[in-house]
Amino acid sequence: MSDDEGGLEVEVEVQDLHPAIDYIRLWAAARQSWKFKKNRQTWLLKNWSCPYKVPKDDFKILLKYLSGLQGQQRNHVRAAAQLALDTPLSEEDGAEEAKAALHRIKLKRAGKLLKKVLPA
């Protein structure tokens, strides 16, 4: 599977995807057979910004999933997204184009989370 975000070509092997990806796919496709799993949600909340772990198409599903998030988890994700936006790419990280591209993807995803899904 190929994923193009922010000018970075990200190759993700289907077998390498975490079970949490299947979890949100099932949530989107067959909610009647979907069951909440705390450990899967926790993984998604920690890894939402990484295109290697959450490919672009699955991030779109994740945005919908997170729109239903409530309480402390919602506040935690909002804070993490705001931190991502507020943290500049250091000059050390900027030396590698791949790291800069990943940083741009993280910023883009954080902006989408804050604007569309988790507004204050």
Side-chain angles (χ1 to χ4, degrees):
M1 176 186 308
S2 177
D3 188 359
D4 182 25
E5 276 190 281
L8 176 67
E9 189 70 24
V10 178
E11 292 293 329
V12 179
E13 292 295 323
V14 174
Q15 68 269 19
D16 292 340
L17 293 175
H18 192 274
I21 300 302
D22 288 332
Y23 171 78
I24 59 167
R25 288 176 180 173
L26 182 62
W27 174 85
R31 210 161 298 171
Q32 67 280 3
S33 60
W34 172 86
K35 292 184 176 154
F36 176 75
K37 294 184 180 180
K38 177 81 170 159
N39 60 339
R40 302 286 194 249
Q41 179 174 295
T42 300
W43 186 91
L44 291 164
L45 297 179
K46 289 181 180 179
N47 294 287
W48 59 265
S49 67
C50 181
Y52 294 110
K53 295 179 180 179
V54 182
K56 185 177 183 177
D57 289 340
D58 296 309
F59 182 71
K60 291 176 184 177
I61 296 169
L62 182 60
L63 287 174
K64 293 176 187 172
Y65 176 84
L66 293 177
S67 68
L69 204 58
Q70 297 178 356
Q72 204 170 23
Q73 292 290 356
R74 183 179 182 91
N75 294 335
H76 175 74
V77 174
R78 185 184 296 123
Q82 189 61 55
L83 180 64
L85 288 174
D86 294 343
T87 304
L89 183 65
S90 72
E91 289 186 27
E92 292 174 5
D93 291 339
E96 291 185 45
E97 181 56 32
K99 286 185 180 180
L102 284 172
H103 185 72
R104 286 191 301 271
I105 292 170
K106 187 174 186 176
L107 292 176
K108 186 176 180 181
R109 288 181 171 199
K112 285 181 180 181
L113 272 173
L114 289 174
K115 184 177 179 184
K116 297 179 181 179
V117 180
L118 303 171

